[in-house]
Amino acid sequence: MTIQKKSLVLVDGSERSIQTVNYIKDFMPVDENMRIVLFHVFDGRPEEFRELEQAPTCIDAVSQLQNQEAEQKAAIWWYLERAKKILTKGGVPQQSIEIKLHLRKDGVARDIIEEAKNDYSAVIMRRRGLGALRRIILGSVAVKLLQSIAFIPIIIVGQVPTNKKILLAVDASPSSRKAVEFIGSLLGGHGYEACIFHAIIGLGSMAFKFPEVNAPEFPEVGMPDNCIEAFKLKTARLLQATKDTLLLSGFDSGKISEKIITGAHSRSLEILKETEEGGYSTIVVGRRGLSKVEAFFMGRVGHKVVYGGDKFTVWVV
């Protein structure tokens, strides 16, 4: 599968956004098809102040606001040019980078969503603040983007120093297959190392637990060895199909590893544990899992990885 390598990079004028730009410089493969759009939504003056421009008593105040707006816009342009220079010094051709300073129209999140519909292959953004996504409030720009931009992958840049090691968390869902194809098309042939990872959930973790103090609980359910082996065989076929896709995309067979965890209480925790212990900087998950329940917002596993893996970069495909 060939994809258009056009990335919408969200920058807000902060030093944390510079980390996003550095991630692109250090991680993304550079070729002649690469295109990066550095995108900033500029608020400017609030609408209510614009309505006062014709009021004689507000001339001085409006003039001060106009001057302040011009200074802010100049500062943002300087910042965007700085981000562009970081990319060009990293080897990205100057003609492959576009700067867009967008005047806010319908709201920051809505304007970003509309821009993302213009033939982009991915949206790249930072985590908000030091507490990352698990501390953001419902309704924030980051949450709105995760909820609404389901038509292209979202890359959420974390704090861990970038390397070319990827943990590819897979299942048998169409979303997971799409993630594998996306990674292969974008990164194949550029020397990346990939671990194909799957956690088989333990039956005990599926028992219902009642919060009431005196309420009974279902007993722990054991999984017979032959049942575990059946799951492992099925998963091994899944991992082999994933590996074949990566090989066809140009990944080196010596840089592809596979790992199956059995009896997991939480797939997301196992993914994060493996990422930490294996020294991976980037996690790739499908947006939706196999069940209808997991289609809410995005897959439960992907959701927990995004929120819990605050220091890692997470690709939601």
Side-chain angles (χ1 to χ4, degrees):
M1 182 181 75
T2 302
I3 62 170
Q4 183 177 1
K5 300 178 181 180
K6 178 184 174 185
S7 299
L8 179 63
V9 182
L10 308 182
V11 289
D12 61 7
S14 70
E15 285 303 310
R16 289 188 298 273
S17 281
I18 291 297
Q19 293 176 3
T20 303
V21 176
N22 281 323
Y23 177 82
I24 296 167
K25 172 181 69 70
D26 296 335
F27 186 84
M28 293 298 189
V30 177
D31 59 37
E32 64 276 7
N33 297 319
M34 184 182 198
R35 189 178 172 201
I36 295 171
V37 178
L38 299 170
F39 189 78
H40 177 83
V41 179
F42 185 74
D43 271 329
R45 282 169 289 157
E47 195 61 37
E48 55 267 29
F49 286 102
R50 295 183 183 277
E51 296 173 357
L52 297 177
E53 289 182 353
Q54 305 304 319
T57 56
C58 297
I59 293 176
D60 290 341
V62 169
S63 177
Q64 292 178 33
L65 285 171
Q66 288 175 334
N67 291 336
Q68 185 182 68
E69 183 180 40
E71 291 174 359
Q72 290 175 347
K73 188 178 290 187
I76 288 295
W77 271 113
W78 175 87
Y79 176 90
L80 291 169
E81 290 290 348
R82 175 190 171 196
K84 183 176 180 179
K85 286 180 181 178
I86 290 173
L87 294 174
T88 55
K89 286 182 178 179
V92 180
Q94 188 167 337
Q95 63 271 20
S96 298
I97 307 169
E98 179 183 353
I99 288 175
K100 278 194 176 183
L101 197 159
H102 171 84
L103 297 181
R104 185 178 63 84
K105 181 180 178 183
D106 297 319
V108 175
R110 289 183 180 180
D111 289 358
I112 291 171
I113 293 165
E114 285 304 308
E115 177 66 23
K117 295 176 182 178
N118 295 326
D119 298 322
Y120 288 95
S121 59
V123 174
I124 306 176
M125 64 183 187
R126 67 174 178 85
R127 293 177 180 271
R128 175 184 173 184
L130 296 177
L133 282 175
R134 62 181 168 186
R135 293 187 184 176
I136 61 180
I137 59 172
L138 189 64
S140 72
V141 171
V143 169
K144 289 177 181 176
L145 296 181
L146 278 168
Q147 289 174 327
S148 302
I149 302 180
F151 46 90
I152 54 174
I154 292 182
I155 298 172
I156 306 161
V157 178
Q159 304 283 330
V160 168
T162 302
N163 58 38
K164 299 184 82 171
K165 297 181 64 176
I166 308 160
L167 186 80
L168 185 53
V170 299
D171 59 23
S173 67
S175 181
S176 182
R177 289 195 293 273
K178 180 181 177 182
V180 173
E181 291 173 353
F182 179 77
I183 289 298
S185 181
L186 188 66
L187 305 181
H190 293 281
Y192 291 84
E193 179 180 338
C195 174
I196 307 169
F197 182 86
H198 181 80
I200 299 174
I201 204 75
L203 290 180
S205 66
M206 298 169 66
F208 290 99
K209 306 295 182 181
F210 293 94
E212 291 80 9
V213 175
N214 296 320
E217 293 185 353
F218 290 103
E220 195 80 8
V221 180
M223 183 180 287
D225 290 343
N226 60 342
C227 187
I228 293 175
E229 288 305 312
F231 271 110
K232 289 177 71 173
L233 181 61
K234 181 180 178 181
T235 303
R237 289 196 293 266
L238 168 66
L239 267 58
Q240 184 59 52
T242 301
K243 183 176 181 179
D244 290 343
T245 299
L246 295 180
L247 289 172
L248 287 172
S249 301
F251 273 77
D252 184 343
S253 61
K255 292 188 175 182
I256 301 175
S257 59
E258 305 165 28
K259 189 164 187 178
I260 301 173
I261 298 294
T262 59
H265 179 73
S266 165
R267 288 193 180 100
S268 57
L269 289 180
E270 292 294 344
I271 290 168
L272 295 175
K273 179 182 176 182
E274 183 64 26
T275 304
E276 180 83 46
E277 294 178 353
Y280 301 94
S281 65
T282 297
I283 306 171
V284 180
V285 294
R287 175 171 283 272
R288 291 180 175 88
L290 289 168
S291 73
K292 292 182 178 179
V293 174
E294 290 184 351
F296 177 72
F297 179 8
M298 64 181 188
R300 286 180 297 175
V301 174
H303 181 278
K304 290 177 182 177
V305 169
V306 167
Y307 276 71
D310 50 3
K311 60 184 179 180
F312 304 110
T313 293
V314 181
W315 294 33
V316 182
V317 183

